[in-house]
Amino acid sequence: MGRGRAKAKQTKVARQLKYTDHNIDYDRLREELGADSPRDEMHPTTASEQESEHAR
């Protein structure tokens, strides 16, 4: 018993997430996540990638 309020709140939150128009600033998000930084800084090349580059 006593689950009525909790379920109503979950339903309300779910409905807000589903139907609310989310205006996402993708440029700002990209900056915060560091997606503009070069790939080499984030992921150094592996030995197999280096071999495939040398084979070309």
Side-chain angles (χ1 to χ4, degrees), residues 1-10:
M1 289 194 184
R3 190 168 175 266
R5 280 191 186 169
K7 184 172 182 184
K9 178 150 181 136
Q10 289 175 349

Side-chain angles (χ1 to χ4, degrees), residues 5-51:
R5 280 191 186 169
K7 184 172 182 184
K9 178 150 181 136
Q10 289 175 349
T11 303
K12 178 182 176 184
V13 170
R15 197 172 290 130
Q16 286 175 341
L17 289 173
K18 183 175 182 180
Y19 295 112
T20 303
D21 182 26
H22 300 284
N23 295 324
I24 300 173
D25 186 359
Y26 290 104
D27 292 328
R28 183 168 173 240
L29 180 62
R30 191 176 296 117
E31 288 174 10
E32 286 184 19
L33 295 176
D36 289 335
S37 62
R39 182 189 185 286
D40 295 334
E41 288 180 14
M42 293 174 61
H43 304 285
T45 55
T46 61
S48 60
E49 289 175 341
Q50 290 174 352
E51 290 173 7

